[in-house]
Amino acid sequence: MNRHLSPAEVQQAETLFPPLTDSLRELVDLAIRSEADEADVRRAHALIGEAARLLGSRVAPHPGIRTAGDGGALTWGNVLIGNRNAIAPPLRVHRDDTGKVWADLVLGAAYEGPPGLVHGGVCALVLDHILGATAHRPGEPAFTGTLTLRYVAPTPLGALRAEAWVDRDDRGKTFAEGRLIDAAGTVTVQAEGIFIRPKANSGTRR
């Protein structure tokens, strides 16, 4: 099992690693778009190898969620919000008094499907997370039951907004709706989802 991290260790890690992750995001984007000459590419490759050796000098024995000493989850590797995951945009979710949630994000070259457009699967991933955020309650996680998407327009790379709200709650299920909006204000994807909060004694795992 992963060792629980002390509050001081958590604070140090959450200060130290996010700038590294930001640099990795930039590196991924530049590696896709680079037109550097052969010598610079080979030199960059060597430097990345050196960085990998440094970071690999000490690693956690298992991947996945780490835990703090108070039992709280540290979702550093989460594919959308992880502050150590360069794949994560990252998605920073906000919530208003009505329960509506939203996130402003930028999806660049690493998320491309058709030329100049976001891959449809990435759109689904973002909307699954943002709709799911409407269903979570303190101490009561919710899991995706169904997610239905309607792709109404191409989603361009660049600045986007994802937003979602609760349609209704019914016997441990949250019925949520949401959408993805591009920088021009065009709705590109519409979504509906059902999110399930399992009973504490059900032993449900997903």
Side-chain angles (χ1 to χ4, degrees):
M1 293 182 63
N2 288 331
R3 178 178 64 86
H4 292 327
L5 301 180
S6 70
E9 288 175 315
V10 171
Q11 182 176 7
Q12 180 187 32
E14 292 191 341
T15 300
L16 180 64
F17 279 89
L20 171 65
T21 308
D22 287 341
S23 294
L24 288 171
R25 288 191 186 102
E26 182 180 12
L27 182 63
V28 169
D29 182 77
L30 289 173
I32 294 169
R33 298 187 298 113
S34 178
E35 296 180 350
D37 62 28
E38 180 179 351
D40 285 342
V41 171
R42 292 188 182 280
R43 176 59 176 155
H45 186 190
L47 291 171
I48 291 169
E50 182 180 351
R53 287 189 291 275
L54 290 171
L55 292 173
S57 63
R58 180 181 174 188
V59 297
H62 302 289
I65 294 175
R66 303 289 297 277
T67 53
D70 61 3
L74 303 170
T75 55
W76 290 337
N78 184 281
V79 69
L80 282 173
I81 62 173
N83 66 13
R84 288 204 196 182
N85 191 344
I87 296 172
L91 199 69
R92 306 197 188 282
V93 180
H94 306 277
R95 186 185 306 270
D96 68 19
D97 294 338
T98 70
K100 180 178 179 179
V101 300
W102 73 94
D104 294 315
L105 65 155
V106 177
L107 296 180
Y111 306 94
E112 186 176 56
L117 302 176
V118 180
H119 191 289
V122 175
C123 296
L125 178 67
V126 170
L127 285 165
D128 178 54
H129 189 93
I130 203 76
L131 267 71
T134 70
H136 286 283
R137 310 284 186 268
E140 297 182 7
F143 303 95
T144 308
T146 63
L147 182 68
T148 303
L149 302 174
R150 181 168 176 255
Y151 294 87
V152 296
T155 302
L157 296 173
L160 301 166
R161 168 167 285 209
E163 55 186 34
W165 55 91
V166 173
D167 178 56
R168 68 186 189 279
D169 284 301
D170 182 18
R171 293 180 295 181
K173 296 180 180 179
T174 294
F175 295 76
E177 298 179 4
R179 57 191 182 182
L180 200 60
I181 305 169
D182 69 15
T186 301
V187 175
T188 63
V189 187
Q190 297 174 335
E192 297 179 352
I194 301 174
F195 297 85
I196 302 168
R197 287 185 294 280
K199 294 179 180 178
N201 62 354
S202 69
T204 299
R205 294 289 184 272
R206 291 201 181 186

